[in-house]
Structure formats: structure tokens, C-alpha cells
Amino acid sequence: KSLQITNIDKLQPESFTPGVSGQYTQKFTISASTSDAAATTLYGASGMETNAYRYSIDGGSTYTSWLSSKSHQFTGLSPGTTYNVRVQARDKAGNIRTESTTATTLPAVAQISTTYYASVQDAFDAAKGTTTAYEDVTLLVDRDESSTLASGKYVDLNLNGKNLKSSTHTVITNNGSLTLSNGKMQTTYTAVENNNYCHIYSGNYSS
């Protein structure tokens, strides 16, 4: 009688480097891809599990469930924060490889309700105000940026005691309906190029 010997898979999946993409003020995506270690004279290869990956952003204290997806988006994060990422990959024999990296969300520049934006322009683009209910946009930091409010947009921009300026161009090109309050736009360029409706409630706006 012949004797059949089966080598047990005791090897972790191959090493990999987690990827980070889509960083914004409150979200980013972690990606991972690897394969099972090749069989050797001592150990077999079981292949990757169907749900092979799980993801953590708190250094491995908590993980997602095991997923088939090679990427996972985390949302509801804090702006301007660095997270300790862990990704685990497993094969069908239960061997687990853990890899790590860091991911940082973008700092918040402007805010609409509980959503943070990395630029005034992004906040303007996201604004959904109407003629009877302007969208409230709050500036959170001193900012050097040129932005354009598109036609059909209705925005109350609260400068929140900050200075919004531009070192290269007009600070705000207004093609929509805009109100300004509670701050300053002290800049060497035009503060507001108004092509529609603009009302200033309070503040210091000069060029």
C-alpha cells in the first residue's frame, strides 16, 4: 500500500503594504491585497479564505468583520487626525498576517452643520441653500484661498473672526447669492468680485 502524506499549511499569507487613498476631512479608504504563501517541502498551501481581510484604525483594538473586499472606507472620522491602521489577511488554514500603516485625515477649513470641508471651495460646492434658506458655511481657520460661488448657490458665509484672503487672485468670485459676516478679508487682491448678489453684515473687508 502507498502512503500519502499531506503537508499542513502553517505559513502566514505573504507580506503586503496597506494602501491609503481618498483622504478627506472625515474619511479615507484602506486597501490590501496578498496571496497565500507557496507550498514548501514541509508545509502545504491552503489558499486565501473567501472573506480574507479585516481592517482596524485604532491600532488593532477593534476590527471590522472579515470581508471579501480588498478595500474598506472609514467614515465619520475626526479632521486633521492620524489613525493607526492595521490590516489582517487570513488563509483557509486560519493563518493570519497582520500589517500596519498610518492614515491622516485632512484638516477642516470650513463647516456646514456637522460636516467638515478641506477648503472654502469644497464647502461652496456642497452648499444646498435656497432663496428662502441660505446654507450656513462657517470658516474655521485663517485661510489663503481663491474660491467661486456658482450661480444658483445661496450661502451665508460666517467668517467666524478669521481672515479669508488670497495671495494670488480675487478671494471670492460671487456668481450666486452671498452674505458675509463676522470676520475679515484683508488681502492685496479684490476681496469679492460680485457678479450677482452680495450683502455684508459685519466685518472688515478691504484690498
Side-chain angles (χ1 to χ4, degrees):
K1 294 182 179 181
S2 61
L3 178 64
Q4 182 176 0
I5 299 176
T6 300
N7 290 340
I8 299 173
D9 183 359
K10 293 186 177 181
L11 300 176
Q12 295 177 351
E14 299 288 354
S15 62
F16 60 94
T17 301
V20 181
S21 62
Q23 293 108 311
Y24 200 63
T25 55
Q26 293 175 283
K27 64 183 179 181
F28 52 66
T29 297
I30 304 300
S31 58
S33 182
T34 189
S35 58
D36 196 20
T40 68
T41 55
L42 294 178
Y43 301 110
S46 60
M48 296 299 291
E49 183 60 78
T50 300
N51 296 326
Y53 300 94
R54 65 178 184 173
Y55 307 84
S56 169
I57 56 172
D58 58 9
S61 295
T62 59
Y63 280 90
T64 65
S65 58
W66 288 102
L67 305 171
S68 61
S69 176
K70 294 182 179 181
S71 65
H72 183 74
Q73 185 184 71
F74 288 92
T75 60
L77 307 179
S78 298
T81 302
T82 298
Y83 292 84
N84 294 314
V85 174
R86 299 286 186 276
V87 181
Q88 290 189 330
R90 65 176 178 173
D91 61 21
K92 291 180 179 178
N95 301 303
I96 295 175
R97 168 79 68 176
T98 303
E99 302 288 5
S100 62
T101 189
T102 59
T104 303
T105 52
L106 299 182
V109 170
Q111 181 177 4
I112 299 176
S113 185
T114 59
T115 302
Y116 296 92
Y117 297 91
S119 67
V120 174
Q121 186 64 65
D122 285 353
F124 280 175
D125 291 343
K128 300 183 183 302
T130 66
T131 55
T132 57
Y134 280 37
E135 187 80 89
D136 292 323
V137 176
T138 302
L139 188 66
L140 301 176
V141 294
D142 291 335
R143 180 69 171 173
D144 190 329
E145 175 188 350
S146 295
S147 57
T148 298
L149 185 65
S151 176
K153 294 283 187 176
Y154 300 86
V155 167
D156 283 328
L157 178 57
N158 179 2
L159 295 172
N160 195 29
K162 310 301 182 184
N163 185 30
L164 179 60
K165 66 176 184 177
S166 173
S167 299
T168 60
H169 202 267
T170 298
V171 182
I172 297 176
T173 300
N174 177 42
N175 298 319
S177 296
L178 174 69
T179 66
L180 295 167
S181 63
N182 303 326
K184 54 188 177 181
M185 296 171 69
Q186 294 178 323
T187 177
T188 54
Y189 288 83
T190 302
V192 177
E193 180 183 314
N194 184 39
N195 299 316
N196 192 20
Y197 171 83
C198 180
H199 185 83
I200 297 173
Y201 286 108
S202 61
N204 185 353
Y205 310 94
S206 62
S207 57

